[in-house]
Amino acid sequence: AKAEGRNNYRFFLPSMHERVKERKTIEEDLRNALEQDQLELYYQPKIDCRTEKVVGAEALVRWHHPERGLILPGEFISVAEECGLINRLGAWVLEKACKQTQAWRDSSLPGMRIAVNLSPAQFQDAELVESVTKIVKDTALPEGTLELEITESILMNNPEKAVSTLKELKALGVMIAIDDFGTGYSSLNYLKRFPVGSIKIDRSFVNDIHVDLDDKAIVDAVIGLGHSLNLEVVAEGVEEVEQLEYLREKGCDFIQGFLFSKPLPATTFESWVSDRHS
Ligand code: C2E
Ligand code: CA
Ligand code: CA
Ligand code: CA
């Protein structure tokens, strides 16, 4: 049988029936979660590689399940996508993240920028541009403050549509980042055509960057490619100081990772940044 890593703690593989039941349960619980305010955004700092100052944050959703405790997005984003809840969930995330950023900018963190993850279904939603327009207006976030993180697959599905959506978003002053760069079907040609501002090197390439020659070569190439296309390059999953040093030496612009901080609840994030900058 095809053993799956995430189910390794079990002594048997769950039957199809059990899996379907489990998904159904998550789906029902998730509907309640949206109504009963069980979701929370955590924020992971994005750091300027050279100055080591915080330039912004990535919003990452968490679910406080009444019985199961804290659940990570890996367990429920795909369910939300499949059962059609992702657009409501995504709208909630976008609004929450922008309002929080507005509050920070008006008080203790004036220069704060925010990145929000968009799943493919959200990107294809006809109302995306409209709802982004509304939230950007309502929160009066200046141009360049909100960044949407999308994956390569979004661009490949329907390139013409994707270009026009991205142009509309760009006209609103919204930045676009390609997340998990290098793990999908990268088309360098598309990268040139799309109004993208940055690429995020996937964690899997960063992991062994200080020891593995292949990963070094890939990361060097991605940084070179990004810069020659005038893109900002972000490395994610930086855990070791050696990784940071390597990336800095190669001219990587920004980094995120546990070396600096895990994603934090809003109030913790705020004091973390204030402490760091004082
Ligand atoms: P992602 O967008 O690639 O986010 C980065 C993930 O890596 C986060 O996991 C973060 O906690 C984790 N991470 C950050 N630094 C490190 C590090 O140094 N080492 C390691 N091992 N991990 C690190 P998280 O929060 O569990 O999110 C997982 C994925 O779920 C995200 O991957 C993203 O694809 C998705 N996701 C999270 N929030 C949202 C959301 O609001 N909307 C949508 N559509 N997807 C979301
Ligand atoms: Ca992301
Ligand atoms: Ca990523
Ligand atoms: Ca991801």
Side-chain angles (χ1 to χ4, degrees):
K2 222 162 109 190
E4 285 178 34
R6 52 183 304 211
N7 287 324
N8 275 348
Y9 61 91
R10 299 191 185 174
F11 291 106
F12 58 93
L13 288 172
S15 69
M16 199 59 170
H17 176 69
E18 280 169 293
R19 280 193 204 216
V20 170
K21 227 172 75 186
E22 192 180 296
R23 291 186 48 91
K24 263 296 189 256
T25 311
I26 298 179
E27 182 183 329
E28 277 159 26
D29 289 359
L30 197 52
R31 284 182 203 280
N32 290 330
L34 280 158
E35 276 147 31
Q36 294 167 9
D37 219 23
Q38 293 168 11
L39 300 181
E40 183 183 3
L41 290 186
Y42 277 36
Y43 298 87
Q44 185 178 42
K46 182 166 155 188
I47 313 270
D48 184 310
C49 239
R50 276 183 320 109
T51 64
E52 295 193 15
K53 291 243 190 254
V54 181
V55 295
E58 176 177 1
L60 295 153
V61 68
R62 300 289 183 262
W63 178 6
H64 298 284
H65 191 285
E67 284 115 42
R68 295 172 58 200
L70 185 83
I71 309 184
L72 293 172
E75 274 195 66
F76 62 89
I77 288 290
S78 63
V79 178
E81 275 168 358
E82 284 162 41
C83 72
L85 279 175
I86 192 67
N87 288 342
R88 271 178 61 204
L89 191 153
W92 181 87
V93 168
L94 193 64
E95 180 171 345
K96 190 82 184 173
C98 289
K99 287 194 168 154
Q100 179 63 72
T101 305
Q102 175 193 33
W104 277 332
R105 293 181 67 94
D106 288 345
S107 57
S108 55
L109 308 173
M112 192 49 66
R113 295 201 272 160
I114 188 75
V116 172
N117 292 284
L118 275 198
S119 69
Q122 272 179 281
F123 189 76
Q124 269 137 30
D125 181 9
E127 280 160 37
L128 175 72
V129 174
E130 198 182 316
S131 58
V132 174
T133 307
K134 185 173 181 323
I135 193 71
V136 168
K137 284 226 172 79
D138 287 354
T139 51
L141 290 182
E143 224 169 89
T145 303
L146 172 64
E147 180 170 63
L148 299 177
E149 299 193 358
I150 60 175
T151 49
E152 290 156 283
S153 63
I154 285 176
L155 307 179
M156 306 300 289
N157 289 345
N158 185 348
E160 278 70 39
K161 181 77 179 46
V163 172
S164 74
T165 303
L166 291 178
K167 282 187 175 153
E168 288 180 281
L169 292 170
K170 192 183 178 183
L172 295 171
V174 175
M175 311 294 288
I176 302 293
I178 308 291
D179 206 352
D180 307 336
F181 187 78
T183 60
Y185 295 96
S186 326
S187 166
L188 305 180
N189 181 37
Y190 284 156
L191 205 53
K192 192 179 72 180
R193 276 180 48 207
F194 289 105
V196 161
S198 62
I199 48 183
K200 299 187 79 172
I201 307 176
D202 191 66
R203 189 165 87 220
S204 58
F205 303 115
V206 174
N207 261 339
D208 297 325
I209 198 184
H210 47 313
V211 287
D212 186 303
L213 288 177
D214 292 334
D215 288 339
K216 271 194 172 106
I218 290 170
V219 167
D220 293 1
V222 172
I223 294 174
L225 169 78
H227 285 167
S228 62
L229 292 172
N230 263 324
L231 304 174
E232 287 179 340
V233 181
V234 186
E236 50 181 25
V238 176
E239 295 180 357
E240 312 286 338
V241 73
E242 291 85 356
Q243 296 165 342
L244 168 67
E245 281 163 1
Y246 185 82
L247 289 160
R248 187 192 284 133
E249 187 192 309
K250 293 294 173 181
C252 185
D253 302 295
F254 302 104
I255 62 157
Q256 287 178 240
F258 296 170
L259 175 64
F260 287 97
S261 174
K262 292 184 302 194
L264 302 168
T267 50
T268 319
F269 175 84
E270 188 179 337
S271 43
W272 188 88
V273 180
S274 302
D275 285 353
R276 201 179 157 78
H277 285 184
S278 62

